[in-house]
């Protein structure tokens, strides 16, 4: 969420400073760099942490396969939304990115919370 908020702030600053690009060129470059770095960091978290470590492959015939596929698709959607945020200075890209992040959070936490509840542990 913090990365998305920072990307949104960067886009707002870029758009504000772009009213006078000749005077604000250096600041615009810094905000664009900041926006891109946070989008890259978010993509790195999704790739290196969730896809490589947290989301475990399951057998095709396993009941958990559909949840696994949904989580993979949700991660891919976050990666695409982060890429689009890098390519644009439109706040709609951060809205879409936040929506994708929320979708993944719901899928991921529902499964993990079910595994961690005392009732699930007792079964």
């Amino acid at each position: 969420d913090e990365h998305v908020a920072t990307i949104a702030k960067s886009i707002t600053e870029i758009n504000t400073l772009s009213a006078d690009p000749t005077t604000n060129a250096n600041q615009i470059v810094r905000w664009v760099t900041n926006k891109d770095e946070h989008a890259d960091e978010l993509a790195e978290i999704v790739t290196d942490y969730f896809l490589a470590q947290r989301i475990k492959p399951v057998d095709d015939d396993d009941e958990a396969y559909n949840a696994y596929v949904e989580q993979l698709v949700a991660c891919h959607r976050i990666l695409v939304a982060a890429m689009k945020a890098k390519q644009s200075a439109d706040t709609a890209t951060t809205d879409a990115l936040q929506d994708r992040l929320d979708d993944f959070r719901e899928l991921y936490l529902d499964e993990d919370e079910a595994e961690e509840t005392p009732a699930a542990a007792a079964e």
Side-chain angles (χ1 to χ4, degrees):
D1 289 331
E2 289 181 29
H3 288 296
V4 176
T6 303
I7 294 166
K9 180 179 179 180
S10 297
I11 288 173
T12 300
E13 291 295 327
I14 292 164
N15 290 331
T16 301
L17 294 168
S18 292
D20 186 9
T22 33
T23 305
N24 300 319
N26 289 334
Q27 286 182 315
I28 293 169
V29 169
R30 282 193 287 274
W31 281 109
V32 168
T33 302
N34 188 52
K35 173 180 67 89
D36 291 354
E37 286 173 354
H38 281 274
D40 285 340
E41 288 176 25
L42 181 57
E44 186 177 319
I45 291 167
V46 170
T47 304
D48 294 346
Y49 183 68
F50 287 100
L51 291 175
Q53 298 178 34
R54 298 296 298 166
I55 299 173
K56 306 293 184 206
V58 295
D59 293 332
D60 290 352
D61 59 343
D62 191 275
E63 290 179 20
Y65 184 73
N66 287 338
Y68 168 70
V69 170
E70 286 178 357
Q71 289 181 354
L72 292 179
V73 169
C75 284
H76 185 254
R77 287 182 176 147
I78 293 170
L79 294 174
V80 171
M83 176 213 42
K84 287 182 179 182
K86 285 181 66 170
Q87 296 174 341
S88 175
D90 184 355
T91 55
T93 59
T94 54
D95 294 341
L97 181 55
Q98 186 65 55
D99 289 345
R100 300 298 75 80
L101 196 60
D102 292 342
D103 292 345
F104 175 70
R105 181 181 293 115
E106 185 177 315
L107 288 170
Y108 183 77
L109 291 179
D110 282 349
E111 179 179 298
D112 279 0
E113 287 174 353
E115 292 174 3
E116 295 174 9
T117 61
E123 294 174 0

